[in-house]
Coordinates of all heavy atoms in Angstrom, one line a residue:
F1 N 8.0 6.1 26.9 CA 8.3 5.5 28.2 C 9.8 5.1 28.3 O 10.3 4.9 29.4 CB 7.5 4.3 28.5 CG 6.0 4.6 28.7 CD1 5.1 4.4 27.8 CD2 5.6 5.3 29.9 CE1 3.7 4.7 28.0 CE2 4.3 5.6 30.2 CZ 3.4 5.3 29.2
T2 N 10.5 5.0 27.2 CA 11.9 4.5 27.3 C 12.9 5.6 26.8 O 14.1 5.3 26.8 CB 12.1 3.2 26.5 OG1 11.8 3.5 25.1 CG2 11.1 2.1 27.0
D3 N 12.5 6.7 26.2 CA 13.4 7.7 25.6 C 14.2 7.2 24.5 O 15.3 7.6 24.2 CB 14.3 8.3 26.7 CG 13.5 9.1 27.7 OD1 12.5 9.7 27.4 OD2 14.0 9.1 28.9
A4 N 13.6 6.1 23.8 CA 14.3 5.6 22.6 C 13.9 6.4 21.4 O 13.1 7.4 21.5 CB 14.0 4.1 22.4
N5 N 14.4 6.0 20.2 CA 14.1 6.7 19.0 C 13.8 5.7 17.9 O 14.4 5.7 16.8 CB 15.2 7.7 18.6 CG 14.8 8.6 17.5 OD1 13.6 8.9 17.3 ND2 15.8 9.1 16.8
L6 N 12.8 4.8 18.2 CA 12.5 3.8 17.2 C 11.4 4.2 16.3 O 10.6 5.1 16.6 CB 12.1 2.5 17.9 CG 13.2 1.8 18.8 CD1 12.6 0.6 19.5 CD2 14.4 1.5 18.0
T7 N 11.3 3.6 15.1 CA 10.2 3.8 14.2 C 9.4 2.5 14.0 O 9.9 1.4 14.5 CB 10.7 4.2 12.8 OG1 11.6 3.2 12.3 CG2 11.6 5.5 12.9
M8 N 8.3 2.6 13.3 CA 7.5 1.3 13.1 C 8.3 0.3 12.3 O 8.2 -0.9 12.5 CB 6.2 1.7 12.4 CG 5.2 2.5 13.3 SD 4.7 1.6 14.7 CE 3.8 0.3 14.0
A9 N 9.2 0.8 11.4 CA 10.0 -0.2 10.6 C 10.9 -0.9 11.5 O 11.3 -2.1 11.2 CB 10.7 0.6 9.5
D10 N 11.4 -0.3 12.6 CA 12.3 -1.0 13.5 C 11.6 -2.0 14.4 O 12.2 -3.0 14.9 CB 13.0 0.0 14.4 CG 13.8 1.0 13.6 OD1 14.4 0.6 12.6 OD2 13.9 2.2 14.0
I11 N 10.3 -1.8 14.7 CA 9.5 -2.6 15.6 C 8.9 -3.8 14.8 O 9.0 -5.0 15.3 CB 8.4 -1.8 16.2 CG1 9.0 -0.8 17.1 CG2 7.5 -2.8 17.0 CD1 8.0 0.1 17.8
L12 N 8.4 -3.6 13.6 CA 7.7 -4.7 12.9 C 8.7 -5.6 12.3 O 9.7 -5.2 11.7 CB 6.8 -4.1 11.9 CG 5.6 -3.2 12.4 CD1 4.8 -2.6 11.3 CD2 4.7 -4.0 13.3
P13 N 8.5 -6.9 12.3 CA 9.4 -7.9 11.8 C 9.3 -8.1 10.2 O 10.0 -9.0 9.7 CB 9.1 -9.2 12.5 CG 7.6 -9.1 12.8 CD 7.4 -7.6 13.1
W14 N 8.4 -7.4 9.6 CA 8.2 -7.6 8.1 C 8.4 -6.2 7.4 O 8.4 -5.2 8.0 CB 6.8 -8.1 7.8 CG 5.7 -7.2 8.3 CD1 5.2 -6.1 7.7 CD2 5.0 -7.4 9.5 NE1 4.2 -5.6 8.4 CE2 4.0 -6.3 9.6 CE3 5.0 -8.3 10.6 CZ2 3.1 -6.2 10.6 CZ3 4.2 -8.2 11.6 CH2 3.2 -7.1 11.6
S15 N 8.7 -6.3 6.1 CA 8.9 -5.1 5.3 C 7.6 -4.4 5.1 O 6.5 -5.0 5.0 CB 9.5 -5.4 4.0 OG 10.8 -6.1 4.1
T16 N 7.6 -3.1 5.2 CA 6.3 -2.3 5.1 C 6.4 -1.4 3.9 O 7.5 -1.1 3.3 CB 6.1 -1.5 6.4 OG1 7.2 -0.6 6.6 CG2 5.9 -2.4 7.5
L17 N 5.2 -0.9 3.5 CA 5.1 0.1 2.4 C 4.6 1.4 3.0 O 3.5 1.5 3.5 CB 4.1 -0.4 1.4 CG 3.8 0.5 0.2 CD1 5.0 0.8 -0.7 CD2 2.6 0.0 -0.6
D18 N 5.5 2.4 3.0 CA 5.2 3.7 3.7 C 4.5 4.6 2.7 O 5.1 5.0 1.7 CB 6.5 4.3 4.1 CG 6.2 5.6 5.0 OD1 5.1 6.1 5.0 OD2 7.2 6.0 5.7
P19 N 3.2 4.9 2.9 CA 2.5 5.7 1.9 C 3.1 7.1 1.7 O 2.9 7.7 0.7 CB 1.1 5.8 2.6 CG 1.0 4.7 3.5 CD 2.4 4.4 4.0
Q20 N 3.8 7.6 2.8 CA 4.4 8.9 2.6 C 5.6 8.9 1.8 O 5.9 9.8 1.0 CB 4.7 9.5 4.0 CG 3.5 9.6 4.9 CD 3.8 10.2 6.3 OE1 4.5 11.2 6.4 NE2 3.3 9.5 7.3
K21 N 6.4 7.9 1.9 CA 7.7 7.8 1.1 C 7.4 7.1 -0.2 O 8.2 7.4 -1.2 CB 8.7 7.0 1.9 CG 9.1 7.7 3.2 CD 10.1 6.9 4.0 CE 10.5 7.6 5.3 NZ 11.5 6.8 6.1
D22 N 6.5 6.2 -0.3 CA 6.3 5.4 -1.5 C 4.9 5.8 -2.1 O 4.1 4.9 -2.5 CB 6.3 3.9 -1.2 CG 7.6 3.5 -0.6 OD1 8.7 4.0 -1.0 OD2 7.6 2.7 0.4
A23 N 4.6 7.1 -2.2 CA 3.3 7.5 -2.6 C 3.0 7.1 -4.1 O 2.0 6.7 -4.5 CB 3.1 9.0 -2.4
L24 N 4.1 7.3 -4.9 CA 3.9 6.9 -6.4 C 3.6 5.4 -6.5 O 2.8 5.1 -7.3 CB 5.2 7.3 -7.1 CG 5.2 7.1 -8.6 CD1 4.0 7.8 -9.3 CD2 6.5 7.5 -9.3
L25 N 4.4 4.6 -5.8 CA 4.1 3.2 -5.9 C 2.7 2.8 -5.5 O 2.0 2.0 -6.1 CB 5.2 2.4 -5.1 CG 5.0 0.9 -5.0 CD1 5.0 0.3 -6.4 CD2 6.0 0.3 -4.1
L26 N 2.3 3.5 -4.4 CA 0.9 3.2 -3.9 C -0.2 3.7 -4.9 O -1.2 3.0 -5.0 CB 0.7 3.9 -2.6 CG -0.6 3.6 -1.8 CD1 -0.8 2.1 -1.6 CD2 -0.7 4.4 -0.5
M27 N 0.1 4.8 -5.6 CA -0.8 5.2 -6.6 C -0.9 4.2 -7.8 O -2.0 3.9 -8.3 CB -0.4 6.6 -7.1 CG -1.5 7.2 -8.1 SD -1.0 8.8 -8.7 CE 0.3 8.4 -9.8
V28 N 0.2 3.7 -8.2 CA 0.2 2.7 -9.2 C -0.6 1.4 -8.8 O -1.3 0.9 -9.5 CB 1.7 2.3 -9.6 CG1 1.7 1.1 -10.5 CG2 2.4 3.4 -10.2
I29 N -0.4 1.0 -7.5 CA -1.1 -0.1 -7.0 C -2.6 0.2 -7.0 O -3.5 -0.7 -7.3 CB -0.6 -0.5 -5.6 CG1 0.8 -1.0 -5.7 CG2 -1.5 -1.5 -4.9 CD1 1.4 -1.2 -4.3
S30 N -3.0 1.4 -6.6 CA -4.4 1.8 -6.5 C -5.0 1.7 -7.9 O -6.1 1.2 -8.1 CB -4.6 3.2 -6.0 OG -4.0 3.2 -4.6
I31 N -4.3 2.3 -8.9 CA -4.9 2.3 -10.3 C -4.9 0.8 -10.8 O -5.8 0.5 -11.6 CB -4.0 3.2 -11.2 CG1 -4.2 4.6 -10.7 CG2 -4.4 3.1 -12.6 CD1 -3.3 5.6 -11.4
A32 N -3.9 0.0 -10.4 CA -4.0 -1.4 -10.9 C -5.2 -2.1 -10.4 O -5.9 -2.9 -11.1 CB -2.7 -2.1 -10.4
F33 N -5.5 -1.9 -9.1 CA -6.8 -2.4 -8.5 C -8.0 -1.9 -9.3 O -9.0 -2.6 -9.5 CB -6.9 -2.1 -7.0 CG -6.2 -3.1 -6.1 CD1 -5.1 -2.6 -5.4 CD2 -6.5 -4.4 -6.1 CE1 -4.4 -3.5 -4.5 CE2 -5.8 -5.3 -5.3 CZ -4.8 -4.8 -4.5
G34 N -7.9 -0.6 -9.6 CA -9.0 0.0 -10.4 C -9.2 -0.7 -11.7 O -10.3 -0.9 -12.2
L35 N -8.1 -0.9 -12.4 CA -8.1 -1.6 -13.7 C -8.8 -3.0 -13.6 O -9.7 -3.3 -14.4 CB -6.7 -1.7 -14.3 CG -6.6 -2.5 -15.6 CD1 -7.4 -1.8 -16.7 CD2 -5.2 -2.7 -16.0
V36 N -8.4 -3.7 -12.6 CA -9.1 -5.1 -12.4 C -10.6 -4.9 -12.1 O -11.4 -5.6 -12.7 CB -8.4 -5.8 -11.2 CG1 -9.1 -7.1 -10.9 CG2 -6.9 -6.1 -11.6
H37 N -10.9 -3.9 -11.3 CA -12.3 -3.7 -10.9 C -13.1 -3.3 -12.2 O -14.2 -3.8 -12.4 CB -12.4 -2.6 -9.9 CG -13.7 -2.5 -9.2 ND1 -14.2 -1.3 -8.8 CD2 -14.5 -3.5 -8.7 CE1 -15.4 -1.6 -8.1 NE2 -15.5 -2.9 -8.1
I38 N -12.6 -2.4 -13.0 CA -13.3 -2.0 -14.2 C -13.4 -3.2 -15.2 O -14.5 -3.4 -15.8 CB -12.6 -0.8 -14.8 CG1 -12.8 0.4 -14.0 CG2 -13.1 -0.6 -16.3 CD1 -12.1 1.7 -14.5
L39 N -12.4 -4.0 -15.3 CA -12.4 -5.1 -16.2 C -13.4 -6.1 -15.8 O -14.1 -6.8 -16.6 CB -11.0 -5.8 -16.3 CG -10.0 -5.0 -17.1 CD1 -8.6 -5.7 -17.1 CD2 -10.4 -4.8 -18.6
V40 N -13.6 -6.3 -14.5 CA -14.7 -7.2 -13.9 C -16.0 -6.7 -14.4 O -16.9 -7.5 -14.8 CB -14.6 -7.3 -12.4 CG1 -15.8 -8.0 -11.9 CG2 -13.3 -8.1 -12.0
G41 N -16.3 -5.4 -14.3 CA -17.5 -4.8 -14.7 C -17.8 -5.0 -16.2 O -18.9 -5.3 -16.6
M42 N -16.7 -4.8 -17.0 CA -16.8 -5.0 -18.4 C -17.0 -6.4 -18.8 O -17.7 -6.8 -19.7 CB -15.6 -4.4 -19.1 CG -15.4 -2.9 -18.9 SD -13.9 -2.3 -19.7 CE -14.3 -2.4 -21.4
G43 N -16.4 -7.3 -18.0 CA -16.6 -8.7 -18.2 C -18.1 -9.1 -17.9 O -18.7 -10.0 -18.6
C44 N -18.7 -8.5 -16.9 CA -20.2 -8.7 -16.7 C -21.0 -8.2 -17.9 O -21.9 -8.9 -18.4 CB -20.6 -7.9 -15.5 SG -19.9 -8.5 -13.9
K45 N -20.6 -7.1 -18.5 CA -21.3 -6.6 -19.7 C -21.1 -7.6 -20.9 O -22.0 -7.9 -21.7 CB -20.7 -5.2 -20.1 CG -21.3 -4.7 -21.4 CD -22.8 -4.4 -21.2 CE -23.4 -3.7 -22.4 NZ -24.9 -3.4 -22.3
F46 N -19.9 -8.1 -21.0 CA -19.6 -9.1 -22.1 C -20.4 -10.3 -21.9 O -21.0 -10.8 -22.9 CB -18.1 -9.5 -22.0 CG -17.6 -10.4 -23.1 CD1 -17.1 -9.8 -24.3 CD2 -17.6 -11.7 -23.0 CE1 -16.7 -10.6 -25.3 CE2 -17.1 -12.5 -24.0 CZ -16.7 -12.0 -25.2

């Protein structure tokens, strides 16, 4: 409606994590959550 060229990073007032640009970091975060999840299951077994 305004013929501007803004991105979501320009609109939002906080820093964001772009899955397309930071895919490796997001994969590390996903596996870290998985490690915690598996350790919880192993803690139940313990």
Side-chain angles (χ1 to χ4, degrees):
F1 290 107
T2 63
D3 292 327
N5 191 23
L6 296 179
T7 62
M8 291 298 294
D10 299 324
I11 295 176
L12 298 176
W14 59 83
S15 299
T16 59
L17 176 65
D18 190 342
Q20 299 180 51
K21 297 179 180 178
D22 304 316
L24 181 59
L25 176 60
L26 184 56
M27 185 178 72
V28 172
I29 294 174
S30 301
I31 293 177
F33 276 116
L35 177 63
V36 174
H37 197 216
I38 289 175
L39 287 176
V40 170
M42 298 177 72
C44 293
K45 179 65 174 178
F46 187 88

